[in-house]
Amino acid sequence: MCGIVGYTGKDLALGPVLEGLRKLEYRGYDSAGIALITDAGEKLWIEKRAGKLGNLEEILGDKVPNSHSGIGHTRWATHGGPTDENAHPHLDNEGKLAVIHNGIIENYLELRQQLEKAGHIFKSETDSESVAHLLSDSRKKHGGDLAAAMREVCQQLRGSFTLLAIHSDQPGRIVGARRNSPLVVGVGDGENFLASDVSAFISHTKRALELGQDEVADITADAIVITNLTGKTLPHNEYEISWDASAAERGGFEHFMLKEIFEQPKAIADTLLGRISGLESDVTKGIDLKNIDKVVIIACGTAYHAGLVGKYAIEKWANIAVDVELASEYRYREPSVDNKTLLIPISQSGETMDTLMAMRYAKEKGAKVFAVCNTNGSTIPRESDAVLYTHAGPEIAVASTKAFETQLIAMYLIGLHLGRIRGTISAELMAEIESELSELPAKVEQVLETVEPLRELTRKFSKSTSMLFLGRHVGFPTALEGALKLKELAYMHAEGFAGGELKHGPIALIEDGTPVVAIMPAAGSLLAEKMASNIQEVKARGAVIIAIADSPLAAANHLVRIPTTHEFLQPVLSVVPLQVIAYEMAIARGNDVDQPRNLAKSVTVE
Ligand code: AGP
């Protein structure tokens, strides 16, 4: 998820572009850059730097030439680390065309090979740079028409993209396009804007045009032309932005956490993109995954819970022993590790010191390290042999939601990949899992449609002193995650249990009215019956049951329905109501949802 801004109009472009990037910096902040078409001499002028936007602003000083049209970008790296070269904009080899991109070009490797064979010189490791070279070639075929070139190039791309491009032969003109990634037009008076979201230009105009899938916007200071990819001109669907500036930064949501809960379908889709039938070759090129005899997952907090779910899938599909370890405990056990151990550190930030130190310990003993991380270029992936990046985009709220979902996806993808390599997963099971994975974004959308009544229900328990979470099989780590969310957001005692464990002591906790959230296994499964008995045990002692289930459950006092899916994938769906319960409880208790007390987004101390 990156920040994208374009300005063309009566004012000098630098101000509105930088202001827009500041507003969008929450979308990505590991590098930033701008490109302008100078008034004098109509040249392309560019400056870009790794690091936060401030790094770029520092070096700009007063050396920026006058220009009335330009584009800017803040990056959340997906392909290629956060370096000056990988920062956007990217140029063609003539240095006259600049392009910025948000999203993932799934077929970038094959495009790059074709372009290099045709003599194009690449300067970065990014998927985005291919677009600059494609546009440069296509422009020449279309008599210098940048919009026509954009329409043609978009038809060659697979994946998700928001693109803005400028060319020094057409000063004042900015061409944008989008597919599965946002782009809005800001309609001004003698000026126009293009941006990833309205927060970039809301202080200048509240008039906006939403672009649909595979639509191209061709703007100048006084004109806006929108077409489809065949060049057919489309009507303008102008609307008035109702948000204020701060609400716009959260996409109109009250908190970043709620925004990120609702971003989960896209985060899952982006993490799955191009990987369901096999991991990209550049993900696993640095590691030999054949010669391993055990897997050790190390992580903390929510990431640890994702690892616990991963254990079930990897053990079953790859027929290999999987240990899941709390990173903070792991190395103090002095565990046996050798070069047949595949160590999988899971970390959203890539900077968690407990996980990093555990990884270094295992690496010194010969383990192969295959990281799962959401932050490109952070320490853990840099010190790993291979990394599977999740594509959740920046997660601003301290409580991990979309990062957790994409960590689950990464676990499933690694389980499938190892199963293929080891020949331990049948073709029909693989086909079933691949099919169910592809349906997850839509099924999470369905769960999100049931959120409102759940928010109302949660408020009934806001005075409770404790809440218990029960689950079995992959529902057990889901219960642990639900309890953690409630603790860290509502500051309420909460505990997750394996359903079968309750009768061995914890059931003594049950009093009249104790709220118990039961994460039900898939209907009809053996464990569903066992879980139903566990529910009866606690209900008989006064518990109030909130069941998360894919089918009706008579014993439940309250039922939250989720769609059916493969039993191993169910946590992707059942965790969403748990996130909402924790979110709503935090609000009911007047807590700071995005920045809960005592917590940090990345714990970089042991
Ligand atoms: C979860 O909501 C917390 N933010 C915390 O448990 C987090 O998952 C843990 O600190 C690990 O962080 P990491 O994924 O960045 O390594």
Side-chain angles (χ1 to χ4, degrees):
M1 199 161 91
C2 304
I4 287 224
V5 186
Y7 175 84
T8 179
K10 57 186 187 265
D11 292 341
L12 290 178
L14 181 65
V17 169
L18 285 180
E19 180 191 349
L21 292 182
R22 283 183 212 109
K23 292 286 186 358
L24 294 177
E25 198 168 10
Y26 74 89
R27 294 178 63 91
Y29 34 76
D30 58 40
S31 56
I34 58 173
L36 304 168
I37 306 293
T38 59
D39 292 345
E42 294 176 350
K43 294 257 179 295
L44 179 66
W45 184 91
I46 175 177
E47 190 60 77
K48 56 185 188 175
R49 274 292 181 283
K52 288 191 176 293
L53 180 59
N55 286 17
L56 176 69
E57 291 182 289
E58 250 169 51
I59 58 159
L60 287 181
D62 55 4
K63 70 179 189 183
V64 181
N66 282 351
S67 162
H68 285 76
S69 66
I71 55 179
H73 186 271
T74 56
R75 184 168 182 245
W76 180 262
T78 54
H79 296 74
T83 62
D84 293 356
E85 299 72 26
N86 289 338
H88 299 213
H90 292 289
L91 307 186
D92 64 347
N93 286 148
E94 292 166 11
K96 299 178 81 174
L97 181 147
V99 70
I100 55 179
H101 166 232
N102 173 30
I104 298 162
I105 309 289
E106 186 186 333
N107 56 331
Y108 80 97
L109 275 178
E110 62 197 79
L111 292 169
R112 180 169 179 147
Q113 284 153 5
Q114 291 161 13
L115 288 158
E116 285 176 327
K117 211 177 283 175
H120 290 271
I121 312 286
F122 279 71
K123 298 195 176 75
S124 80
E125 308 159 288
T126 67
D127 56 335
S128 313
E129 188 182 353
S130 301
V131 178
H133 299 290
L134 289 171
L135 283 171
S136 179
D137 284 353
S138 178
R139 249 191 100 258
K140 294 181 181 105
K141 285 194 300 184
H142 292 88
D145 184 341
L146 189 57
M150 182 66 85
R151 285 189 284 268
E152 179 181 64
V153 167
C154 286
Q155 296 175 60
Q156 298 169 267
L157 305 179
R158 286 202 313 273
S160 64
F161 52 80
T162 300
L163 295 166
L164 295 190
I166 57 176
H167 194 287
S168 55
D169 289 355
Q170 292 171 291
R173 193 173 177 190
I174 305 175
V175 176
R178 69 161 295 256
R179 181 188 298 159
N180 299 327
S181 179
L183 181 61
V184 285
V185 182
V187 185
D189 178 8
E191 60 185 12
N192 289 309
F193 303 77
L194 282 162
S196 323
D197 71 48
V198 298
S199 57
F201 55 73
I202 196 170
S203 56
H204 295 270
T205 177
K206 290 210 165 190
R207 295 170 57 203
L209 305 174
E210 194 78 45
L211 281 187
Q213 283 284 69
D214 282 335
E215 291 184 359
V216 175
D218 183 358
I219 72 169
T220 60
D222 304 308
I224 297 169
V225 176
I226 295 177
T227 68
N228 62 17
L229 295 190
T230 65
K232 179 172 176 287
T233 301
L234 302 173
H236 290 184
N237 302 319
E238 184 170 326
Y239 66 93
E240 182 77 16
I241 302 163
S242 56
W243 300 329
D244 62 23
S246 70
E249 282 184 31
R250 295 187 304 277
F253 290 95
E254 199 178 338
H255 300 99
F256 275 111
M257 183 182 172
L258 192 60
K259 176 172 179 283
E260 287 155 7
I261 286 173
F262 277 82
E263 282 175 345
Q264 291 181 126
K266 179 154 181 1
I268 292 166
D270 284 352
T271 303
L272 284 170
L273 195 64
R275 295 166 159 175
I276 291 180
S277 47
L279 294 181
E280 309 96 307
S281 53
D282 65 340
V283 165
T284 57
K285 64 175 183 283
I287 195 168
D288 168 15
L289 293 173
K290 291 192 178 63
N291 186 21
I292 58 172
D293 62 11
K294 81 171 173 182
V295 173
V296 177
I297 298 171
I298 56 169
C300 304
T302 288
Y304 171 72
H305 299 149
L308 289 173
V309 173
K311 172 185 172 72
Y312 291 88
I314 299 170
E315 278 191 339
K316 178 78 176 178
W317 299 341
N319 189 26
I320 189 167
V322 178
D323 292 338
V324 186
E325 303 272 356
L326 284 173
S328 55
E329 287 291 313
Y330 179 62
R331 62 197 178 106
Y332 301 107
R333 265 194 321 104
E334 297 183 3
S336 76
V337 179
D338 60 28
N339 62 4
K340 287 181 175 291
T341 303
L342 178 66
L343 187 95
I344 303 180
I346 303 175
S347 178
Q348 187 286 127
S349 62
E351 301 298 347
T352 300
M353 191 54 73
D354 286 325
T355 308
L356 180 59
M357 298 310 285
M359 179 185 91
R360 287 174 177 164
Y361 172 87
K363 200 171 176 190
E364 265 164 38
K365 290 189 169 265
K368 301 183 176 83
V369 181
F370 188 7
V372 170
C373 187
N374 192 49
T375 308
N376 200 304
S378 55
T379 306
I380 287 173
R382 276 208 315 271
E383 297 188 12
S384 299
D385 300 309
V387 57
L388 180 58
Y389 280 112
T390 53
H391 294 317
E395 190 173 64
I396 309 298
V398 165
S400 185
T401 51
K402 61 177 184 172
F404 175 69
E405 291 277 57
T406 58
Q407 288 163 354
L408 292 177
I409 298 299
M411 290 287 97
Y412 301 137
L413 291 172
I414 290 175
L416 280 180
H417 191 78
L418 290 176
R420 286 188 194 98
I421 288 174
R422 299 163 58 86
T424 51
I425 183 168
S426 69
E428 50 271 34
L429 176 58
M430 199 182 323
E432 181 193 353
I433 300 296
E434 289 176 0
S435 165
E436 289 289 355
L437 281 173
S438 64
E439 291 178 24
L440 284 177
K443 290 186 174 178
V444 172
E445 286 286 5
Q446 282 181 45
V447 179
L448 290 170
E449 285 158 17
T450 66
V451 148
E452 279 319 307
L454 182 58
R455 296 178 71 171
E456 185 54 41
L457 169 67
T458 303
R459 283 193 274 274
K460 288 195 173 75
F461 298 102
S462 60
K463 298 280 184 289
S464 302
T465 54
S466 169
M467 185 175 273
L468 307 185
F469 295 77
L470 297 190
R472 296 188 79 124
H473 197 262
V474 289
F476 171 37
T478 312
L480 296 177
E481 174 57 14
L484 174 63
K485 283 283 148 312
L486 198 62
K487 282 181 269 197
E488 65 178 327
L489 287 157
Y491 316 152
M492 177 198 277
H493 172 262
E495 209 162 335
F497 295 102
E501 189 54 18
L502 217 60
K503 55 188 177 295
H504 299 288
I507 199 163
L509 289 171
I510 303 297
E511 296 170 338
D512 197 32
T514 303
V516 174
V517 177
I519 295 114
M520 292 302 295
S525 63
L526 169 66
L527 285 175
E529 289 160 33
K530 301 274 184 200
M531 191 66 185
S533 310
N534 300 145
I535 289 175
Q536 291 301 354
E537 286 159 16
V538 294
K539 200 172 177 194
R541 290 161 177 80
V544 175
I545 306 297
I546 304 164
I548 317 290
D550 63 11
S551 53
L553 188 74
N557 299 89
H558 307 284
L559 177 66
V560 180
R561 283 297 291 272
I562 57 173
T564 59
T565 185
H566 185 277
E567 61 176 321
F568 285 14
L569 309 187
Q570 203 194 48
V572 174
L573 305 180
S574 52
V575 77
V576 176
L578 310 187
Q579 295 166 345
V580 174
I581 287 170
Y583 171 81
E584 204 51 47
M585 200 73 90
I587 293 178
R589 291 182 161 210
N591 296 348
D592 181 338
V593 172
D594 287 333
Q595 307 286 340
R597 70 184 182 194
N598 310 338
L599 295 179
K601 184 60 187 169
S602 175
V603 183
T604 54
V605 292
E606 273 201 291

